[in-house]
């Protein structure tokens, strides 16, 4: 069992289902602020005409529909909302169609977008997938076009993001910093917002593509393994190196714990007292699309901790939730009912 320094065990077999269901019940109404890089995930669907372009060896599609889905930092927010939380966002969108469509989707889901600054000088970070196929056919991505400006934010925009975040922090139970390294999570924003949340006793979680040691003092972090390795400037070749690295992150961040997600290898949770748990994936066989599964884990992990879970229970809930979203195409969400059924089913 965990407890002694560096101890570990395979914890997949001992889910306390009634306890996890009880925790899930207590997700409702938790208040979460997600601060970070907002992204519009756009899908342009076209029906294949069967013709090849005369300009290049590419298929010609006839446009059928367009859709905008929550991406980047909006995705953990969307996941938390679907799980019953009250969600607030702070960040930046552009004064463009993608930004408006994104805010409309988020608003319809009941997410508070009042903390999003509209910056007319840069486009909404948009990832456009051109998809061939219709509902009757297996859709295939043909191309991806990203529209972005990854330069530094205008100082006036940074100031307004900080104002929104600091206005919202007192109203929420937790702050999740979702850093896709698209330019919003600058040192200035981290220094203004993270200590503010910590000083007010809020639970703070960091999900960052960049250096995790910029977020010292956060309660927890949820990097994937490459992000954890990048922070430590080394690769984990085996379980011993993973365990040493995970504990080094906890100590270096002065965190209560770090959850490292490891794709098809599952996830590992490292606690400040030296306890380590390794969880194999909860769903091995019905994997269709792993995009955004890490966002689902971060959202579930934070809500579980707010509900009173310990680190292992929070990781187990995140693991079962991830097992549900990897069955779905695109960056997906899992509802509270779906998660409850998955926990009950085992
Ligand atoms: N191939 C897979 N099979 C089964 N489960 C998976 C697979 N890939 C991911 N998962 C589940 O999703 C969790 C998170 O995945 P991953 O480690 O890829 O996060 P991530 O890289 O942060 O993802 P993203 O940035 O796309 O949100 C894993 O811990 C695991 O539970
Ligand atoms: Mg991730």
């Amino acid at each position: 069992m965990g407890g002694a320094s560096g101890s570990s065990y395979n914890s997949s077999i001992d889910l306390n289902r009634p306890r996890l269901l009880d925790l899930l019940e207590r997700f409702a109404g938790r208040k979460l602020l997600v601060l970070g890089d907002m992204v519009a995930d756009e899908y342009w669907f076209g029906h294949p005409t069967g013709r090849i372009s005369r300009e290049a060896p590419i298929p010609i599609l006839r446009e059928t529909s367009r859709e905008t889905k929550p991406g980047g930092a909006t995705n953990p927010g969307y996941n938390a909302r679907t799980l019953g939380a009250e969600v607030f966002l702070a960040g930046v969108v552009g004064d463009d169609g993608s930004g408006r469509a994104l805010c409309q989707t988020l608003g319809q889901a009941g997410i508070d977008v009042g903390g999003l600054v509209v910056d007319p000088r840069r486009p909404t970070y948009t990832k456009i997938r051109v998809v061939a196929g219709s509902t009757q056919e297996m859709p295939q991505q043909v191309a991806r076009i990203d529209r972005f400006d990854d330069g530094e934010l205008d100082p006036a925009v940074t100031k307004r993001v900080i104002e929104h975040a600091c206005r919202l922090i007192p109203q929420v139970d937790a702050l999740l910093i979702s850093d896709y390294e698209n330019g919003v999570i600058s040192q200035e924003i981290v220094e203004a917002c993270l200590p503010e949340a910590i000083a007010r006793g809020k639970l703070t979680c960091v999900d960052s593509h960049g250096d995790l040691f910029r977020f010292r003092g956060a309660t927890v972090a949820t990097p994937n393994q490459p992000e954890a390795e990048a922070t430590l400037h080394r690769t984990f070749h085996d379980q011993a190196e993973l365990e040493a690295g995970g504990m080094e992150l906890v100590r270096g961040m002065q965190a209560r714990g770090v959850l490292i997600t490891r794709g098809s290898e599952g996830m590992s949770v490292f606690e400040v007292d030296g306890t380590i748990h390794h969880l194999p994936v909860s769903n091995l066989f019905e994997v269709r699309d792993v995009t955004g599964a890490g966002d689902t884990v971060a959202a579930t992990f934070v809500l579980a901790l707010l509900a009173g879970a310990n680190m292992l229970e929070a990781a187990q809930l995140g693991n079962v939730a991830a097992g549900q979203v990897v069955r779905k195409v695109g960056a997906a969400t899992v509802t509270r009912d779906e998660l409850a059924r998955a926990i009950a089913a085992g």
Side-chain angles (χ1 to χ4, degrees):
M1 290 294 287
S5 180
S7 67
S8 64
Y9 72 105
N10 178 330
S11 49
S12 66
I13 39 169
D14 48 10
L15 291 188
N16 181 342
R17 294 175 206 286
R19 165 77 179 152
L20 296 185
L21 288 168
D22 182 49
L23 288 166
L24 186 57
E25 280 293 305
R26 283 185 265 146
F27 280 22
R30 303 281 164 188
K31 293 192 177 70
L32 175 68
L33 168 61
V34 185
L35 167 67
D37 294 303
M38 307 298 148
V39 174
D41 272 342
E42 241 166 62
Y43 293 83
W44 295 5
F45 295 101
H47 184 73
T49 60
R51 286 159 51 216
I52 296 295
S53 168
R54 285 193 293 177
E55 297 158 25
I58 50 171
I60 299 175
L61 311 176
R62 179 172 183 175
E63 185 171 345
T64 49
S65 61
R66 291 191 184 192
E67 250 180 59
T68 303
K69 293 190 170 172
T74 69
N75 192 40
Y78 200 47
N79 271 270
R81 178 70 194 144
T82 316
L83 288 169
E86 225 181 287
V87 177
F88 303 81
L89 300 176
V92 184
V93 290
D95 184 13
D96 49 24
S98 301
R100 281 185 284 278
L102 178 63
C103 288
Q104 189 182 6
T105 304
L106 295 166
Q108 280 167 355
I111 293 173
D112 188 312
V113 293
L116 296 183
V117 177
V118 178
D119 181 355
R121 276 188 272 187
R122 51 201 274 146
T124 304
Y125 201 116
T126 305
K127 295 181 182 174
I128 301 161
R129 280 89 169 177
V130 179
V131 184
S134 60
T135 42
Q136 282 99 39
E137 302 148 345
M138 189 63 180
Q140 301 266 5
Q141 283 194 32
V142 178
R144 193 171 110 197
I145 308 163
D146 288 7
R147 186 192 299 133
F148 64 92
D149 172 350
D150 60 355
E152 281 183 17
L153 287 187
D154 186 282
V157 174
T158 296
K159 187 165 167 271
R160 288 182 56 210
V161 172
I162 291 172
E163 281 165 9
H164 279 302
C166 290
R167 167 178 65 80
L168 291 163
I169 285 168
Q171 303 175 36
V172 296
D173 304 310
L175 168 68
L176 170 61
I177 297 179
S178 176
D179 173 24
Y180 275 77
E181 287 203 301
N182 296 349
V184 169
I185 303 301
S186 61
Q187 199 56 32
E188 188 181 349
I189 289 196
V190 174
E191 280 170 16
C193 302
L194 184 58
E196 176 70 12
I198 295 168
R200 289 179 178 273
K202 309 296 178 180
L203 188 127
T204 51
C205 177
V206 171
D207 195 30
S208 173
H209 284 213
D211 177 12
L212 290 161
F213 291 149
R214 285 176 303 150
F215 306 96
R216 265 192 197 88
T219 321
V220 288
T222 55
N224 61 23
Q225 186 166 327
E227 291 156 357
E229 292 172 338
T231 291
L232 297 172
H233 306 289
R234 63 173 194 265
T235 305
F236 308 150
H237 296 103
D238 54 31
Q239 184 159 316
E241 290 185 13
L242 166 71
E243 294 186 352
M247 288 315 303
E248 203 174 318
L249 282 179
V250 173
R251 285 191 295 268
M253 288 188 71
Q254 295 159 12
R256 245 175 64 199
V258 169
L259 177 67
I260 299 183
T261 62
R262 299 167 50 228
S264 60
E265 305 276 295
M267 56 178 70
S268 302
V269 63
F270 304 85
E271 300 187 45
V272 67
D273 68 358
T275 307
I276 301 170
H277 300 287
H278 299 291
L279 287 73
V281 294
S282 61
N283 166 20
L284 251 185
F285 303 110
E286 297 167 285
V287 182
R288 291 182 70 196
D289 188 342
V290 300
T291 313
D295 294 332
T296 303
V297 172
T300 313
F301 190 61
V302 170
L303 294 182
L305 292 174
L306 285 178
N310 61 33
M311 294 274 168
L312 173 60
E313 292 163 340
Q316 287 172 329
L317 281 163
N319 199 33
V320 179
Q324 293 301 302
V325 297
V326 297
R327 299 158 68 141
K328 305 178 185 179
V329 175
T333 57
V334 53
T335 66
R336 214 149 36 113
D337 286 350
E338 283 172 324
L339 186 49
R341 277 197 295 275
I343 293 164

